[in-house]
């Protein structure tokens, strides 16, 4: 199975990124976690991105706040799918990061999830890997079925409480 790289621009992004790491662990997806900054360690970030495919990675998740050019910097240096997680900060509450991540120039795509939604980033990475991994596809389907059942149970409880 291909690995997922989980990159954060700063260790201050770890509380957000931990949700992605947890999902990857739950699904048994091999992964590595690193801190690389598009601005403070550009050579290291570029080198990692350029060698990611040959090092067994299939998807890169990049989380950053503020200017949030991390996902774009990785996407510019690899043809692997890159998923950006814009992280909120006290400045502009993450809207700056969202726009910096989602507004990529033509030819350098970055899939972008919502602000701080690392769980969705991990699930999207797993869906990408599941294109060629039937076991992962089955786990995804099973989880969707369980979530479906949970919502129907909640609906019944709400109906019983409010519909007389």
């Amino acid at each position: 199975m291909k690995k997922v790289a989980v990159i954060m621009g700063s260790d201050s992004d770890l509380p957000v990124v931990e949700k992605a790491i947890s999902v990857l662990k739950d699904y048994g997806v091999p992964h590595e976690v690193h801190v690389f900054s598009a601005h403070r360690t550009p050579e290291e970030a570029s080198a990692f991105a350029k060698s990611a495919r040959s090092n067994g990675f299939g998807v890169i998740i990049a989380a950053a706040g503020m200017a949030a050019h991390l996902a774009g910097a990785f996407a510019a240096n690899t043809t692997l799918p890159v998923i950006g997680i814009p992280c909120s900060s006290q400045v502009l509450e993450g809207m700056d990061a969202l726009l910096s991540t989602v507004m990529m120039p033509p030819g350098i795509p970055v899939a972008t999830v919502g602000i701080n939604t690392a769980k969705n980033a991990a699930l999207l990475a797993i869906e990408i890997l599941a294109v060629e991994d039937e076991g992962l596809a089955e786990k995804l389907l099973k989880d969707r079925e369980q979530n479906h059942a949970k919502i129907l149970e909640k609906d019944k409880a709400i109906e019983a409480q409010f519909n007389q």
Side-chain angles (χ1 to χ4, degrees):
M1 178 185 306
K2 297 279 186 185
K3 298 183 286 186
V4 174
V6 180
I7 313 296
M8 62 194 108
S10 168
D11 63 349
S12 65
D13 300 322
L14 186 58
V16 171
V17 170
E18 284 178 321
K19 294 175 181 82
I21 296 166
S22 177
V23 171
L24 293 169
K25 284 181 182 177
D26 289 347
Y27 276 82
V29 173
H31 55 279
E32 289 184 17
V33 182
H34 298 278
V35 176
F36 292 122
S37 169
H39 303 103
R40 295 170 290 203
T41 60
E43 294 86 10
E44 292 82 356
S46 175
F48 186 94
K50 288 177 181 176
S51 64
R53 183 181 300 275
S54 63
N55 287 330
F57 292 95
V59 181
I60 297 171
I61 297 173
M66 299 180 77
H69 295 292
L70 187 63
F74 271 80
N77 286 291
T78 187
T79 56
L80 290 175
V82 176
I83 303 167
I85 306 170
C87 297
S88 65
S89 65
Q90 293 179 344
V91 179
L92 301 175
E93 298 176 354
M95 285 303 295
D96 51 342
L98 174 63
L99 295 174
S100 294
T101 306
V102 77
M103 294 303 297
M104 292 299 298
I108 308 293
V110 170
T112 307
V113 296
I115 298 168
N116 293 344
T117 57
K119 179 178 180 177
N120 276 351
L123 289 170
L124 181 55
I126 292 165
E127 287 177 345
I128 291 167
L129 295 178
V131 168
E132 294 190 6
D133 187 315
E134 193 60 36
L136 280 180
E138 290 173 15
K139 287 180 184 179
L140 286 164
L141 182 59
K142 181 180 174 185
D143 281 352
R144 293 251 178 122
E145 290 170 349
Q146 289 174 346
N147 285 332
H148 177 261
K150 286 178 188 176
I151 294 299
L152 292 179
E153 288 176 23
K154 291 178 182 184
D155 176 59
K156 285 182 183 178
I158 293 294
E159 283 182 10
Q161 183 177 354
F162 295 105
N163 299 342
Q164 300 301 329

